[in-house]
Amino acid sequence: MSDVEREAMEYDVVIVGAGPAGLSAAIRLKQLNPDREIVVLEKGSEVGAHILSGAVLDPCGLDALIPDWKEKGAPLNVPVKVDNFYMLGEAGKIRVPNFPMPPLMNNHGNYIVSMGNVCRWMAEQAEEMGIEIFPGMACSELIYAEDGSVKGVVAGEFGKNADGTPGPSYEPGMELHGKYVFLSEGVRGSLSKEVIAKYDLSKGKEPQKFGLGMKEIWEIDPDKHREGTVTHTMGWPLGSNAGGGSFIYHLENNQVYIGFVVHLNYKNPHLFPYMEFQRFKHHPMVAELLKGGKRVAYGARAITEGGYQSMPKMVAPGVALLGCSVGMVNVPRIKGNHNAMLSGKAAAEAAHAALEAGRASDELTDYENEVRTGAIGKDLKKVRNVKPLWSKYGLLASLTVGGFDMWTNTFGFSLLGTVKHGKTDAAATEPADKHKPIEYPKPDGKLSFDRLTNVSFSMTNHEESQPAHLRLKDASVPIGVNLPTYAEPAQRYCPAGVYEVVEKDGSPEFVINFQNCVHCKTCDIKDPSQNITWVTPQGGDGPNYPNM
């Protein structure tokens, strides 16, 4: 569609994504120069609609950005009071004591939050400063200058027919040009993926690794509610089938966040992450907590887990990658929001210095240096070996050797150096005939639910006449390659039931129900043939998460 005539608007900095990284960057730029022209573009129907996170928030990012956040009414209302860690068996549990854990694992001083609500509050702060924020504006393509630098984005294209041609109510969208463009799209963003490939930003780095996080909000019996309690578990039901674990966070209003993470480097294509989550809720400890309660929301999101050694180069001419576009999650702490905020602040400070010096569209190397050598790099370097140890040697080695490594890193050294990740998550998938199918109990409709019922609790909606935003590079691969070799795992790894294999005229057919998509990006990551590409649907489409 590059021959379409579009209006263009000029800004100092164009920011894609109103998550913690993008909003922090916008706020910091305006703090440094109130006359700076900033625009933030958000594909969700409102700020926070596509934000899904655990979340126990380390407030260090907010402290650095808005030191008086408490007086300004930031929605950090539930300080962590109790920190539990359990190893689960099928019927029992063993509490892992807190004292042998490295100090960085302590949640004292952190808050149980809805990151969606934190972002909504940050957007209010930004708009009060005069920052333009446009929700419902998906950025569908990058614009490059003649010298090869990133010049801007196309946003707000609506009304295409299913075949990609302009429909009767077609709107071409606008070009938004910036002296610098910040991509803060979250995990596996489509524009970030393009930039990483175009400028070969992952050269010399370990492959990025991912997990799939699924989450439900429950209203529970007030007698069982313990506000401020944080519980993490490992072990059952995943066992040796996959890495991962759960979180149970008691926030206010008798609500509990129940979450489950499955590392996407699992080998067995029969594994069904969503059903592992549903099975987990039947563990006696969890079932007792949820009994008599009701689930009020559901969602899912991929998580970047590669850590320090997988962070690509973060800058290219005219563009910088922020937050989860780079991958700044501290895996053992299960925290990345603080680093996302700090990355936004660092990118803003580098862009401010560049603009003050009369520069534009070059590489913001000061930003990259700050991330790698400053607070973010120090946070991630200490824990860099936990994930690859877990992947290579299993949970026990990760807890013992990884725990020891985190302790030594606390004192500034590691006996292990930097352990490599090796394969991508897609390449980790093995042929189906090497593994046994896994029998999953049927959801009971009280504690556990089928996918389509749960997806209705994500308030997901897509205009069905538009082109599917889940694209196959080769339409023959799902049935011709993935089905015979891998039992077509898209039927199982998708937490929203987007992909099905159905019988049609006696032959299998691959069906994509894109209207169910919750934008988790798992298919783009885990498909063993790397045949599925996730691109943005039209703006405002997708989940509408409350309180996530």
Side-chain angles (χ1 to χ4, degrees):
M1 303 294 290
S2 53
D3 52 349
V4 175
E5 285 289 312
R6 293 187 174 97
E7 283 183 47
M9 292 179 73
E10 304 291 329
Y11 291 89
D12 290 319
V13 181
V14 173
I15 300 173
V16 179
L23 290 169
S24 296
I27 289 167
R28 186 65 183 138
L29 281 161
K30 212 70 168 170
Q31 287 172 342
L32 293 165
N33 182 347
D35 298 325
R36 199 69 77 207
E37 294 290 327
I38 318 290
V39 66
V40 181
L41 303 159
E42 166 56 43
K43 69 180 170 68
S45 59
E46 60 164 359
V47 173
H50 290 179
I51 298 288
L52 186 140
S53 186
V56 171
L57 179 66
D58 179 338
C60 65
L62 214 45
D63 290 340
L65 186 72
I66 308 173
D68 58 345
W69 54 263
K70 208 163 248 174
E71 292 75 65
K72 288 188 166 164
L76 280 68
N77 306 321
V78 182
V80 176
K81 295 175 191 160
V82 180
D83 216 353
N84 298 318
F85 189 80
Y86 292 104
M87 290 294 295
L88 298 187
E90 188 162 356
K93 62 183 189 286
I94 299 169
R95 171 125 195 238
V96 180
N98 294 49
F99 71 84
M101 294 190 190
L104 63 89
M105 295 296 286
N106 187 352
N107 271 312
H108 183 74
N110 298 331
Y111 293 83
I112 300 169
V113 301
S114 153
M115 274 318 290
N117 291 341
V118 171
C119 289
R120 289 177 180 102
W121 175 83
M122 289 176 75
E124 287 168 14
Q125 308 308 303
E127 285 176 325
E128 281 172 19
M129 300 170 85
I131 294 163
E132 293 182 49
I133 301 176
F134 295 121
M137 291 286 270
C139 297
S140 49
E141 56 184 286
L142 290 163
I143 302 161
Y144 297 96
E146 284 177 16
D147 64 1
S149 64
V150 173
K151 179 183 174 184
V153 296
V154 172
E157 191 173 26
F158 288 93
K160 282 184 180 177
N161 294 320
D163 63 0
T165 57
S169 56
Y170 177 69
E171 292 175 32
M174 296 190 70
E175 289 191 8
L176 296 108
H177 299 167
K179 298 183 176 94
Y180 294 100
V181 174
F182 289 173
L183 299 180
S184 48
E185 302 172 287
V187 179
R188 197 76 161 192
S190 49
L191 302 185
S192 306
K193 195 177 159 188
E194 182 182 323
V195 162
I196 290 167
K198 181 179 171 70
Y199 299 104
D200 201 13
L201 302 185
S202 288
K203 187 180 179 185
K205 311 292 182 191
E206 283 295 293
Q208 189 56 268
K209 306 295 283 182
F210 299 91
L212 168 60
M214 296 156 286
K215 176 179 171 184
E216 294 171 357
I217 305 178
W218 279 71
E219 283 175 6
I220 65 165
D221 178 345
D223 290 343
K224 299 175 186 175
H225 189 252
R226 304 284 180 269
E227 188 174 299
T229 297
V230 163
T231 300
H232 292 109
T233 78
M234 289 176 175
W236 189 87
L238 290 172
S240 58
N241 282 326
S246 83
F247 59 86
I248 303 171
Y249 301 155
H250 291 245
L251 60 159
E252 66 255 77
N253 303 324
N254 297 318
Q255 288 196 331
V256 175
Y257 292 149
I258 303 281
F260 199 79
V261 177
V262 177
H263 299 174
L264 288 175
N265 59 356
Y266 61 82
K267 296 173 182 176
N268 183 351
H270 298 295
L271 189 89
F272 198 155
Y274 174 84
M275 291 306 293
E276 297 285 350
F277 175 30
Q278 298 308 302
R279 181 155 65 166
F280 159 74
K281 289 181 290 174
H282 287 273
H283 188 277
M285 178 181 93
V286 189
E288 182 50 42
L289 177 71
L290 299 181
K291 206 165 119 189
K294 63 172 183 174
R295 160 224 35 185
V296 294
Y298 166 75
R301 192 78 178 88
I303 305 162
T304 43
E305 295 186 337
Y308 189 78
Q309 54 271 58
S310 296
M311 293 196 297
K313 186 180 172 190
M314 298 161 217
V315 293
V319 66
L321 305 178
L322 276 53
C324 278
S325 298
V326 176
M328 299 182 180
V329 171
N330 180 317
V331 171
R333 291 185 78 200
I334 329 178
K335 289 180 182 57
N337 289 304
H338 62 298
N339 286 336
M341 291 179 182
L342 292 171
S343 78
K345 180 174 177 283
E349 287 165 358
H352 171 74
L355 292 165
E356 290 290 300
R359 288 162 41 206
S361 303
D362 58 354
E363 292 194 4
L364 294 171
T365 49
D366 286 357
Y367 162 60
E368 174 118 12
N369 293 338
E370 169 57 30
V371 169
R372 291 196 189 274
T373 62
I376 299 170
K378 290 187 175 100
D379 185 47
L380 297 179
K381 201 170 182 183
K382 285 177 193 166
V383 301
R384 67 191 181 279
N385 292 328
V386 173
K387 166 77 177 178
L389 284 170
W390 194 340
S391 302
K392 284 184 165 71
Y393 306 113
L395 176 56
L396 208 57
S398 161
L399 283 174
T400 51
V401 182
F404 176 72
D405 190 59
M406 283 193 283
W407 265 112
T408 62
N409 270 292
T410 305
F411 303 114
F413 70 95
S414 169
L415 297 173
L416 302 176
T418 299
V419 182
K420 289 184 157 67
H421 289 301
K423 293 176 183 171
T424 66
D425 292 334
T429 316
E430 293 180 349
D433 60 13
K434 279 189 159 188
H435 297 273
K436 285 183 183 161
I438 302 170
E439 286 292 319
Y440 290 99
K442 202 166 179 279
D444 69 354
K446 292 175 188 158
L447 290 178
S448 48
F449 312 98
D450 66 81
R451 274 185 298 190
L452 293 188
T453 304
N454 238 355
V455 168
S456 71
F457 282 78
S458 67
M459 277 58 91
T460 294
N461 186 49
H462 290 87
E463 172 56 57
E464 291 188 32
S465 61
Q466 68 183 305
H469 63 279
L470 302 156
R471 304 201 176 150
L472 301 179
K473 294 173 191 168
D474 180 342
S476 70
V477 164
I479 301 302
V481 178
N482 284 357
L483 187 60
T485 309
Y486 303 103
E488 187 41 277
Q491 304 173 84
R492 291 175 294 282
Y493 61 57
C494 172
V498 169
Y499 303 99
E500 289 181 284
V501 175
V502 299
E503 283 287 320
K504 191 175 180 188
D505 303 328
S507 302
E509 184 182 358
F510 191 63
V511 177
I512 301 176
N513 305 299
F514 76 84
Q515 60 276 18
N516 293 354
C517 176
V518 293
H519 299 196
C520 74
K521 318 287 176 62
T522 302
C523 55
D524 195 302
I525 295 160
K526 184 61 177 168
D527 180 56
S529 302
Q530 285 295 276
N531 189 48
I532 302 173
T533 301
W534 190 100
V535 298
T536 52
Q538 65 183 24
D541 287 5
N544 285 283
Y545 291 137
N547 260 7
M548 285 289 198

